[in-house]
Amino acid sequence: MRDLRISVTDRCNFRCVYCMPREVFDAGHEFLPHSAILSFEEIARLARIFVGLGVKKIRLTGGEPLVRKQLHRLVAMLSTLPVEITLTTNGSLLAKQASALRDAGLDRVTVSLDSLDDATFRAMNDADYPVAKVIEGIEAAAAAGLAPVKINMVVKRGTNDGDIVAMAQRWRGTGHVIRFIEYMDVGGTNGWRMDEVVPSAEVIRRIHDAWALEPIDPNYPGEVAERWRYADGAGEIGVISSVTQAFCSSCTRMRLSTEGGLYTCLFGQHGHDLKSLLRTGASDDELRDEIAAVWQRRADRYSEMRTKETARQPKVEMSYIGG
Ligand code: SAM
């Protein structure tokens, strides 16, 4: 166990078509009430126990983590732990919050951006949100001391795959690292189809045709992004290939959902309820034993077993478990 991903909210101000499609997450959708979600104090207590079990990196995510009020307070609480603290965000509220987050102890940030073409991006986020504002957020994060920023682009064939090379070009030589993510069958609402997945090998081929790329070693064992660098020294890019090259066998991730469910896989169906334990007076030792037992029993390897049929199985939504 090395990485802990914590979903701090199931709410988001975007409705990305591949994650929280508006037809499902509409005005009638019931998000979790405040009383059901873990408090910052509960999250920080669990995080300390996870760190005692070996976690080296904590990522705050969601939903959109920056819509949770005063998130910098949680970052400050976590920053007392000997771990790297990172955040994944859609960037819309980043310009406003970057300095406070950095001052609170945030180490790194990943910003999702699926296209540089405004019309394509607005259609993908389905909230009519412009590219320029996300870029403003990336620049504010860098100015606040959070550089290099990682930029995540989910590639969906027929939607934004025409933007791969432009995206690589935009971030070449900036020090920031663009990572291309294969479109995944997370949750049960995005209508995923294999023919809409652009394999990472194809992404690499298309960029390599423009500027020569060479593979580089992972930063640490179990890193999910495969790293490549430009032969001309203009920096590096990454690809995350959970569909075409599953990495279950080296997975070191544990996930804590917004309401305190423990998941050992992004494609899980059931979480292990830690909130009830927390709220019925469990000691730190009891919580630690419970977490360790869940980790030791884990047997998930969904991405290695994925077929057209499994893609239709019920799975937890990514906005709830944390992407
Ligand atoms: N709201 C934040 C954001 O936009 O980065 C954090 C949560 S979001 C669920 C985390 C990441 O998951 C984003 O980079 C998003 O693009 C990615 N993601 C969501 N659904 C996906 C899917 N079906 N396939 C691949 N990546 C997906």
Side-chain angles (χ1 to χ4, degrees):
M1 191 193 307
R2 189 181 188 288
D3 302 280
L4 173 64
R5 302 201 148 209
I6 303 174
S7 172
V8 295
T9 177
D10 59 336
R11 293 163 199 257
C12 188
N13 53 347
F14 283 14
R15 286 291 176 274
C16 298
V17 290
Y18 52 75
C19 188
M20 293 180 77
R22 195 171 281 283
E23 315 81 81
V24 180
F25 295 88
D26 57 8
H29 179 80
E30 275 185 41
F31 290 98
L32 294 168
H34 199 69
S35 58
I37 71 179
L38 294 188
S39 67
F40 287 167
E41 287 71 21
E42 287 171 325
I43 293 174
R45 180 177 173 207
L46 287 176
R48 188 163 39 77
I49 295 169
F50 277 105
V51 171
L53 285 165
V55 162
K56 300 275 183 297
K57 180 169 161 188
I58 294 179
R59 177 170 298 278
L60 302 178
T61 178
E64 171 48 44
L66 299 186
V67 302
R68 176 106 184 229
K69 283 202 188 94
Q70 309 247 307
L71 190 74
H72 62 91
R73 277 190 46 232
L74 175 63
V75 172
M77 289 159 88
L78 298 177
S79 72
T80 59
L81 299 170
V83 286
E84 190 184 15
I85 304 174
T86 63
L87 169 82
T88 302
T89 173
N90 61 28
S92 60
L93 301 169
L94 191 54
K96 273 195 207 115
Q97 299 189 29
S99 294
L101 290 164
R102 178 62 178 157
D103 292 347
L106 188 71
D107 293 303
R108 292 250 176 279
V109 68
T110 299
V111 179
S112 305
L113 177 61
D114 294 328
S115 179
L116 292 170
D117 177 74
D118 214 46
T120 307
F121 183 59
R122 284 177 197 253
M124 285 184 86
N125 65 54
D126 203 10
D128 206 24
Y129 201 80
V131 173
K133 287 271 179 201
V134 178
I135 294 188
E136 213 175 276
I138 293 171
E139 283 165 358
L146 291 164
V149 175
K150 285 186 183 149
I151 296 146
N152 277 357
M153 171 176 173
V154 175
V155 185
K156 201 172 165 194
R157 193 180 300 282
T159 302
N160 65 341
D161 60 315
D163 303 338
I164 293 169
V165 174
M167 196 66 138
Q169 180 167 32
R170 173 64 182 79
W171 304 108
R172 257 173 64 80
T174 62
H176 303 315
V177 179
I178 167 88
R179 288 131 34 108
F180 299 89
I181 305 181
E182 287 179 350
Y183 169 44
M184 298 184 285
D185 53 331
V186 286
T189 58
N190 67 5
W192 181 87
R193 295 202 333 245
M194 185 64 203
D195 60 4
E196 290 175 332
V197 177
V198 179
S200 294
E202 181 181 330
V203 171
I204 294 296
R205 211 167 39 242
R206 291 206 209 172
I207 299 173
H208 183 77
D209 284 346
W211 308 277
L213 285 169
E214 46 200 37
I216 36 178
D217 289 337
N219 286 308
Y220 53 87
E223 187 175 33
V224 300
E226 188 187 290
R227 301 170 63 208
W228 293 77
R229 75 175 155 227
Y230 293 108
D232 65 5
E236 71 173 84
I237 65 165
V239 287
I240 301 178
S241 325
S242 123
V243 179
T244 62
Q245 283 170 274
F247 35 78
C248 305
S249 62
S250 59
C251 176
T252 55
R253 288 184 176 180
M254 193 65 129
R255 295 169 183 272
L256 185 62
S257 77
T258 313
E259 55 177 343
L262 193 56
Y263 288 80
T264 51
C265 182
L266 177 57
F267 301 92
Q269 293 182 24
H270 307 289
H272 193 88
D273 179 16
L274 289 184
K275 181 174 65 185
S276 301
L277 283 176
L278 274 173
R279 295 190 180 173
T280 52
S283 68
D284 284 1
D285 284 350
E286 283 165 335
L287 286 164
R288 192 201 52 225
D289 292 349
E290 197 69 20
I291 295 167
V294 170
W295 182 254
Q296 278 159 1
R297 274 204 308 269
R298 82 199 163 120
D300 345 58
R301 47 188 205 86
Y302 178 82
S303 289
E304 290 180 349
M305 303 186 308
R306 173 184 290 108
T307 60
K308 250 193 271 165
E309 281 66 44
T310 61
R312 284 197 287 269
Q313 279 175 10
K315 292 183 240 85
V316 68
E317 290 301 325
M318 196 164 180
S319 50
Y320 167 85
I321 196 181

